């Protein structure tokens, strides 16, 4: 098997699982609260893009980790705080100007703003910026995976 086929299989399976879970959560939520999706095609695009990006990120962490402790280090100490500080539960527009500017360095802000805009046509940053940054994170993860396979990082002895 080629490296491309390996990455497509692992990332495709993980992204498909993530998208199915996201759609199940959305469907379940619609039974309890009114769900309004103003831009369904952009919501689907963000869903696919973010699922693939996080799947690639997980693939990178899986190759990098030497053990279970390392495998949990990045999600627990980096991804979770970035999610809580990324405006998932509040708008970063509510923050003082200095903290808002600092929050714009958080990549999760752009992921959340893209989804927020696709549902409500309101976001903390422009939809173009959200899409560009999300594509940028996807390309960065793809570049790291390509580098790992090209150099054999932690794949070859």
């Amino acid at each position: 098997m080629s490296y491309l086929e390996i990455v497509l299989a692992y990332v495709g399976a993980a992204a498909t699982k993530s998208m199915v879970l996201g759609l199940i959560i959305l469907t379940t939520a619609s039974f309890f609260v009114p769900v309004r999706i103003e831009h369904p095609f952009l919501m689907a695009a963000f869903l696919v893009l973010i699922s693939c990006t996080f799947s690639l990120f997980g693939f990178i962490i899986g190759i990098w980790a030497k053990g279970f402790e390392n495998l949990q280090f990045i999600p627990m100490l980096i991804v979770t705080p970035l999610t809580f500080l990324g405006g998932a539960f509040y708008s970063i527009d509510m923050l003082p100007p200095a903290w808002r500017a600092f929050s714009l360095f958080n990549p999760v802000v752009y992921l959340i703003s893209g989804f927020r805009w696709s549902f409500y046509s309101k976001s903390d940053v422009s939809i173009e910026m959200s899409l560009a940054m999300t594509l940028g994170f996807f390309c960065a993860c793809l570049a790291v995976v390509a580098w790992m396979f090209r150099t054999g990082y932690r794949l070859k002895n």
Side-chain angles (χ1 to χ4, degrees):
M1 291 184 83
S2 72
Y3 294 136
L4 178 64
E5 291 170 332
I6 294 170
V7 172
L8 280 175
Y10 277 111
V11 172
T16 301
K17 177 183 152 192
S18 298
M19 288 183 282
V20 168
L21 286 173
L23 293 173
I24 289 171
I25 291 168
L26 180 65
T27 303
T28 304
S30 68
F31 291 125
F32 300 103
V33 294
V35 176
R36 179 182 82 203
I37 305 173
E38 292 194 8
H39 307 281
F41 293 113
L42 272 171
M43 192 257 334
F46 269 104
L47 180 65
V48 170
L49 191 58
I50 291 170
S51 295
C52 290
T53 301
F54 272 102
S55 297
L56 281 169
F57 189 63
F59 192 82
I60 292 166
I61 294 170
I63 292 174
W64 168 79
K66 293 180 181 175
F68 184 73
E69 294 82 17
N70 288 62
L71 192 62
Q72 293 302 314
F73 175 76
I74 301 291
M76 183 174 57
L77 294 178
I78 296 174
V79 175
T80 300
L82 286 177
T83 301
F84 285 123
L85 298 173
F89 303 108
Y90 59 89
S91 171
I92 65 169
D93 289 334
M94 297 169 47
L95 297 173
W99 283 106
R100 184 182 192 288
F102 183 72
S103 292
L104 293 176
F105 289 101
N106 182 351
V108 178
V109 167
Y110 302 99
L111 309 176
I112 291 169
S113 287
F115 264 118
R116 190 173 285 151
W117 189 85
S118 66
F119 278 86
Y120 306 112
S121 293
K122 295 179 184 177
S123 67
D124 296 328
V125 295
S126 71
I127 188 64
E128 294 84 9
M129 179 63 83
S130 291
L131 191 57
M133 293 299 279
T134 305
L135 278 170
F137 303 139
F138 175 79
C139 291
C141 287
L142 201 56
V144 170
V145 168
W147 172 81
M148 286 177 153
F149 278 111
R150 188 173 56 251
T151 63
Y153 175 79
R154 313 235 340 138
L155 299 172
K156 299 176 184 175
N157 291 331

